[in-house]
Amino acid sequence: NAGVTQTPKFRILKIGQSMTLQCTQDMNHNYMYWYRQDPGMGLKLIYYSVGAGITDKGEVPNGYNVSRSTTEDFPLRLELAAPSQTSVYFCASSYTSNEQFFGPGTRLTVL
Amino acid sequence: DQQVKQNSPSLSVQEGRISILNCDYTNSMFDYFLWYKKYPAEGPTFLISISSIKDKNEDGRFTVFLNKSAKHLSLHIVPSQPGDSAVYFCAASWIYNQGGKLIFGQGTELSVKP
């Protein structure tokens, strides 16, 4: 099992550009999540999904969109990148609830 | 509004001694708590958890204590090893939590010196 994989590992965007952060899990987990971590801060939930076709907002959803067309994939879309979106992004998945398995993260810089 | 707080950004201990990491929460609905460990350039990994029906859970060198009346939990690492040096996050969840969402604290960076 590869677990949770994320691509890319690093990315630099210009203000106003868009991009998609990819997340895939091979554990057949129903629940998937996107977090961002800013320096000195904990992880903030952006969006989550309880199954294919179902997504919902977390604490900090503004500026992001998600989709969940399959159990395995949960991409995060940034439409108009802003410097405030400079952060490390983590994708996670879980079978039922509580214990989540995290990917290695994507470090995004918006200049 | 920070519902889960880790008030110590960093902690330094000597190898072989005890490390105690603290976490406070404000929401009385939280009934399940987890600790995650994070190394640089990696994602967090689950370490240990505790349900609100218990006040202690132990797994090898790691023990988590829960004081519900004080809304406080702590992670004890005994004995501490240099490989324990990492950032530790406390997280909380609650029953009827759609989607199994977790609320994380800010993290405490532990440094274990040889």
Side-chain angles (χ1 to χ4, degrees), chain A residues 33 37 42 48 90 98 100 102-103, chain B residues 36 43 89 93 98-101 105:
Chain A
Y33 313 85
Q37 185 195 7
Y48 68 99
F90 292 101
N98 296 325
Q100 297 178 11
F102 284 81
Chain B
Y36 279 81
F89 291 99
S93 183
Q98 187 205 14
K101 297 186 289 293

Side-chain angles (χ1 to χ4, degrees), chain A:
Chain A
N1 278 355
V4 180
T5 57
Q6 293 183 236
T7 56
K9 286 186 167 38
F10 305 94
R11 184 73 185 269
I12 297 175
L13 281 182
K14 293 183 179 178
I15 294 171
Q17 286 186 320
S18 61
M19 78 164 292
T20 299
L21 283 67
Q22 301 292 346
C23 174
T24 300
Q25 53 93 8
D26 62 0
M27 297 174 282
N28 202 31
H29 286 168
N30 291 325
Y31 297 174
M32 294 189 75
Y33 313 85
W34 273 105
Y35 294 90
R36 59 177 287 173
Q37 185 195 7
D38 299 322
M41 303 293 288
L43 286 82
K44 299 290 187 185
L45 183 65
I46 304 172
Y47 270 95
Y48 68 99
S49 169
V50 300
I54 306 169
T55 62
D56 208 345
K57 296 178 181 178
E59 297 175 76
V60 289
N62 291 344
Y64 307 94
N65 278 302
V66 293
S67 60
R68 184 95 182 269
S69 57
T70 66
T71 299
E72 296 77 20
D73 300 306
F74 191 40
L76 178 72
R77 179 85 179 158
L78 283 71
E79 288 295 348
L80 290 170
S84 60
Q85 293 178 306
T86 293
S87 191
V88 181
Y89 291 84
F90 292 101
C91 179
S93 71
S94 66
Y95 179 61
T96 52
S97 61
N98 296 325
E99 184 184 340
Q100 297 178 11
F101 296 82
F102 284 81
T106 294
R107 185 174 295 274
L108 176 67
T109 302
V110 182
L111 301 174

Side-chain angles (χ1 to χ4, degrees), chain B residues 7 12 28 35-36 64 70 79 97 103 108:
Chain B
N7 292 317
S12 181
S28 300
W35 286 93
Y36 279 81
V64 56
N97 171 7
I103 306 297
T108 296

